[in-house]
């Protein structure tokens, strides 16, 4: 029993004994470790009356001790890995994975659009705003867009104009040369299908540009030169030969070429900045061009000058049988010669009339002053035009009803023979208006006889042709201008009654009408109101259509 008790007491004494190497700790050490543990990054600083906990390096362990600790950790880690390797069965090493292919950057949605769809989209934009500057900017987006913008099919219509903002003459020449240098490489690669070309404000480089056009644009059909200098016969002839499909030419407001003697009008235009087509451009150059390209020409625009008749003479010589529009000059479908000073020139020999213009539909020779257009001139222009529908001869006081009656057109719809402000100074025909209405009463929609000197009886007989036909066919007359004529009240009431479609009636300054009726009537209501006034306020004889004595104005 005693030995057992002795052994128990020995074990208890061993448990309470401190470990070897252990150091007894005081209360002060315990507080130090509590406030600033080892490795926390703080250390304690004690002063006379306070205890400070400051950040910063504290009492660190010796370097050898730190290295031994790290070395022991590494050894334990390596031992663990080695034990795991021994426990696992050995297997063949796995093959290294193949390197992933290097991915190129995504070009974006623009490069994935099919070229055909892209061409259609570009075509809509070009049709709305033109190829410049859109196609040039689109070509810089990506390769696919560059390919689409380079298609010649998109470059079918083009307008080229050097910048004008405050440029002096020398600066403008440099700008045109720079633009010409760009065209030298653009035209062979882009303009092979160019059809319509417009050049505006080119002063010095017109000939080089047109030379490039003749070399690179065989499909050109329309050319417009607006306010351009240097238009010579050689330039136009070169185009006519190199562009077999060219059928429309517009050289309005272009200037005389350098080196050609200029008259006072051209010098004044240069000083004032006005645009006048020089005589050589309008006569010599155009006539030479028409001699080369006349058989295929359809449309021609000119600016009026004193030698426009030279071009008209060439046209009357049947050099352009296909011509459809000439402004201002004789044409097939539309002819406008406003305020043309037509001077008669005696011919020493008889002239054989040409075939004329069989497709002519509109002819306008209107003038605000008296001119010398006669029946002979009108016959030379219209002797081969059976499809004429509009004839405007306002101011042509030398044209007679007999000359109009001989024209070959049978379905004239608009006839304007008004004389405005000049009838008092001329000797006018008093008879013959019946020849006009008898020939075209069933097709005329507009008739203008203002200022004509036909007598009351002649006008009564002429307007009686609108009384209808036995078959009851509908009359097309909807506009009638009798301003300043000697029409009577009975004649007016008869016309209104027989033409239910009349929408405009001008009775201003008609001396034979009573006061209150001398005005213009617009619309069917006003025209019918005029008829009611005539029927209720005039004597019965006037209502029956008999002529009456002229009333005081």
């Amino acid at each position: 029993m005693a030995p057992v008790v002795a052994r128990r007491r020995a074990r208890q004494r061993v448990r309470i004994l401190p470990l070897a190497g252990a150091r007894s700790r005081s209360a002060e050490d315990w507080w130090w470790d509590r406030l600033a543990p080892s490795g926390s990054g703080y250390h304690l600083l004690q002063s006379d009356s306070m205890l400070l906990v400051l950040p910063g390096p504290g009492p660190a362990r010796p370097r050898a001790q730190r290295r031994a600790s790290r070395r022991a950790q590494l050894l334990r880690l390596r031992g663990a890995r080695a034990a795991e390797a021994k426990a696992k069965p050995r297997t063949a090493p796995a093959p290294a994975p193949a390197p992933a292919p290097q991915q190129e950057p995504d070009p974006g949605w623009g490069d994935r659009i099919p070229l055909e769809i892209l061409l259609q989209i570009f075509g809509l934009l070009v049709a709305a705003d033109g190829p410049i500057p859109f196609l040039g900017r689109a070509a810089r987006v990506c390769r696919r867009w560059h390919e689409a913008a380079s298609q010649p099919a998109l470059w079918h219509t083009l307008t080229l104009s050097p910048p004008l903002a405050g440029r002096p003459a020398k600066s403008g020449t440099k700008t045109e040369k720079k633009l010409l240098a760009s065209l030298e490489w653009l035209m062979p690669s882009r303009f092979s299908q160019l059809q319509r070309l417009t050049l505006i404000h080119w002063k010095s480089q017109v000939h080089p540009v047109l030379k490039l056009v003749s070399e690179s644009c065989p499909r050109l059909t329309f050319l417009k030169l607006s306010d351009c200098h240097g238009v010579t016969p050689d330039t136009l002839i070169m185009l006519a030969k190199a562009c077999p499909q060219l059928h429309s030419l517009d050289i309005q407001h272009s200037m005389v070429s350098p080196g050609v003697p200029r008259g006072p009008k051209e010098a004044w235009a240069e000083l004032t900045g006005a645009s006048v087509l020089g005589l050589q451009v309008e006569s010599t150059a155009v006539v030479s061009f028409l001699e080369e390209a006349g058989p295929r020409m359809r449309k021609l625009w000119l600016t009026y000058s004193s030698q426009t008749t030279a071009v008209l003479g060439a046209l009357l010589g049947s050099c352009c049988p296909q011509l459809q529009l000439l402004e201002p000059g004789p044409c097939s479908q539309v002819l406008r010669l406003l305020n043309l000073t037509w001077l008669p020139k005696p011919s020493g020999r008889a002239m054989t009339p040409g075939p004329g213009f069989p497709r002519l539909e509109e002819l306008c020779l209107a003038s605000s002053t008296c001119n010398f257009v006669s029946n002979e001139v009108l016959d030379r222009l219209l002797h081969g035009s059976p499809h004429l529908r509009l004839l405007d001869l306002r101011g042509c006081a030398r044209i007679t009803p007999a000359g109009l009656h001989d024209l070959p057109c049978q379905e004239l719809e608009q006839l304007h023979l008004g004389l405005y402000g000049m009838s008092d100074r001329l000797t006018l025909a008093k008879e013959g208006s019946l020849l006009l209405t008898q020939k075209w009463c069933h097709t005329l929609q507009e008739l203008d006889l203002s200022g004509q000197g036909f007598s009351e009886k002649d006008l009564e007989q002429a307007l009686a042709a609108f009384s209808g036909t036995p078959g009851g066919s509908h009359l097309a007359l909807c506009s009638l201008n009798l301003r300043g004529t000697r029409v009577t009240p009975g004649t007016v009431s008869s016309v209104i009654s027989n033409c239910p479609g009349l929408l405009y009636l001008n009775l201003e300054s008609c001396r034979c009408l009573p006061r209150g009726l001398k005005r213009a009537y617009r619309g069917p209501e006003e025209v019918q109101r005029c008829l009611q006034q005539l029927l209720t306020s005039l004597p019965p004889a006037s209502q029956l259509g008999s002529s009456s004595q002229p009333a005081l104005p």
Side-chain angles (χ1 to χ4, degrees):
M1 189 71 183
V4 175
V5 176
R7 284 197 298 270
R8 286 180 180 173
R9 291 177 178 175
R11 286 195 208 97
Q12 292 177 358
R13 286 195 298 267
V14 171
R15 288 175 182 171
I16 35 184
L17 286 175
L19 296 176
R23 182 175 55 89
S24 60
R25 302 178 62 189
S26 63
E28 183 180 355
D29 293 337
W30 184 86
W31 277 107
W32 279 69
D33 290 341
R34 188 74 174 175
L35 294 176
S38 178
S40 63
Y42 295 89
H43 67 278
L44 294 175
L45 180 63
Q46 184 178 7
S47 63
D48 295 338
S49 59
M50 65 183 65
L51 184 66
L52 300 177
V53 181
L54 300 177
R61 292 180 296 173
R63 182 178 298 178
Q65 186 179 358
R66 291 197 303 269
R67 289 181 179 177
S69 175
R70 288 196 297 269
R71 189 179 297 110
Q73 292 178 2
L74 290 176
L75 290 175
R76 286 194 300 270
L77 181 60
R78 289 177 184 176
R81 289 180 179 176
E84 291 178 2
K86 291 179 180 180
K88 290 183 180 180
R90 294 185 178 181
T91 56
Q102 185 177 3
Q103 295 183 356
E104 297 182 357
D106 185 10
W109 62 268
D111 197 56
R112 292 192 290 267
I113 299 179
L115 184 62
E116 295 78 9
I117 303 299
L118 206 58
L119 285 175
Q120 293 185 10
I121 297 174
F122 284 6
L124 295 175
L125 295 173
V126 168
D129 302 325
I132 294 178
F134 167 71
L135 290 181
R137 295 171 179 173
R140 297 195 294 267
V141 174
C142 61
R143 293 183 179 179
R144 177 64 58 86
W145 285 39
H146 182 275
E147 182 182 1
S150 302
Q151 297 296 320
L154 296 175
W155 298 82
H156 54 79
T157 302
L158 186 63
T159 298
L160 298 175
S161 176
L164 288 176
R167 63 172 189 176
K170 294 182 179 179
S171 177
T173 302
K174 292 181 179 179
T175 303
E176 292 184 15
K177 289 182 178 180
K178 290 181 180 179
L179 188 53
L180 178 63
S182 301
L183 293 176
E184 289 177 352
W185 67 268
L186 268 177
M187 282 197 176
S189 60
R190 303 286 195 276
F191 298 168
S192 60
Q193 298 187 24
L194 185 65
Q195 298 178 7
R196 299 177 64 88
L197 175 63
T198 300
L199 300 180
I200 304 176
H201 304 308
W202 284 77
K203 305 301 182 183
S204 62
Q205 303 297 322
V206 175
H207 182 77
V209 171
L210 294 181
K211 184 178 180 181
L212 288 174
V213 171
S214 63
E215 295 173 353
S216 306
C217 307
R219 299 188 179 184
L220 189 69
T221 61
F222 172 84
L223 175 64
K224 180 177 181 179
L225 305 176
S226 179
D227 193 19
C228 294
H229 293 206
V231 182
T232 62
D234 295 338
T235 303
L236 295 179
I237 293 175
M238 174 182 61
L239 282 173
K241 293 180 178 180
C243 303
Q245 301 182 19
L246 182 62
H247 57 68
S248 300
L249 178 64
D250 185 350
I251 53 175
Q252 287 183 331
H253 311 299
S254 291
M255 303 291 282
V256 68
S257 59
V260 179
R262 300 175 299 169
K265 181 172 62 174
E266 288 75 21
W268 173 254
E270 182 176 354
L271 290 176
T272 59
S275 297
V276 180
L277 183 64
L279 305 184
Q280 283 74 14
V281 172
E282 193 164 329
S283 59
T284 307
V286 174
V287 170
S288 301
F289 174 81
L290 294 179
E291 291 175 353
E292 181 67 30
R296 63 175 185 267
M297 289 302 296
R298 300 177 187 175
K299 298 180 181 181
L300 181 62
W301 290 267
L302 303 172
T303 301
Y304 169 73
S305 74
S306 59
Q307 292 189 6
T308 305
T309 52
V311 180
L312 299 182
L315 295 173
L316 292 175
S318 69
C319 67
C320 300
Q322 302 277 340
L323 197 64
Q324 298 177 2
L325 186 147
L326 174 63
E327 184 180 346
C331 66
S332 262
Q333 288 187 353
V334 179
L335 167 60
R336 302 183 184 96
L337 293 171
L338 300 176
N339 291 319
L340 177 65
T341 304
W342 197 294
L343 300 177
K345 181 181 294 186
S347 57
R349 54 189 178 88
M351 298 182 61
T352 303
F357 307 103
R359 298 183 181 180
L360 183 63
E361 296 182 1
E362 299 182 14
L363 173 62
C364 178
L365 298 175
S367 175
S368 58
T369 60
C370 181
N371 57 39
F372 293 91
V373 177
S374 60
N375 293 336
E376 180 183 1
V377 174
L378 196 63
D379 181 68
R380 289 184 60 191
L381 291 172
L382 299 178
H383 73 277
S385 305
H387 304 294
L388 191 70
R389 298 185 179 276
L390 185 150
L391 183 58
D392 190 349
L393 299 175
R394 288 173 293 181
C396 301
R398 299 176 183 270
I399 300 294
T400 64
L404 293 172
H405 185 268
D406 294 337
L407 296 178
C409 50
Q410 300 295 327
E411 297 182 354
L412 195 65
E413 297 177 356
Q414 300 181 37
L415 178 61
H416 302 275
L417 300 176
L419 301 176
Y420 297 92
M422 61 183 69
S423 57
D424 296 339
R425 306 188 302 269
L426 300 174
T427 301
L428 304 177
K430 298 184 179 297
E431 298 179 353
S433 59
L434 179 62
L435 298 176
L436 307 178
T437 56
Q438 279 183 341
K439 185 174 183 177
W440 295 307
C441 63
H442 302 300
T443 59
L444 272 178
Q445 299 178 8
E446 299 182 14
L447 178 60
D448 182 4
L449 298 177
S450 60
Q452 292 288 345
F454 301 118
S455 63
E456 297 94 324
K457 188 67 176 178
D458 192 76
L459 284 174
E460 180 182 352
Q461 294 175 354
L463 297 179
F466 293 104
S467 59
T469 58
S473 60
H474 175 69
L475 294 176
L477 187 66
C478 59
S479 176
L480 179 61
N481 191 343
L482 299 174
R483 181 180 184 274
T485 62
R486 303 182 65 85
V487 65
T488 61
T491 303
V492 174
S493 61
S494 176
V495 170
I496 298 176
S497 301
N498 295 323
C499 299
L502 195 62
L503 302 177
Y504 175 78
L505 178 63
N506 193 340
L507 301 177
E508 296 177 350
S509 304
C510 294
R511 296 179 59 87
C512 296
L513 295 180
R515 293 184 178 91
L517 295 177
K518 303 178 184 180
R519 67 183 188 90
Y521 299 87
R522 296 176 174 85
E525 294 80 5
E526 292 190 6
V527 173
Q528 292 301 318
R529 191 178 303 115
C530 175
L531 177 61
Q532 294 298 328
Q533 292 178 358
L534 288 171
L535 295 178
T536 56
S537 62
L538 297 180
S542 298
Q543 296 178 13
L544 296 175
S546 61
S547 60
S548 61
Q549 295 297 327
L552 294 177

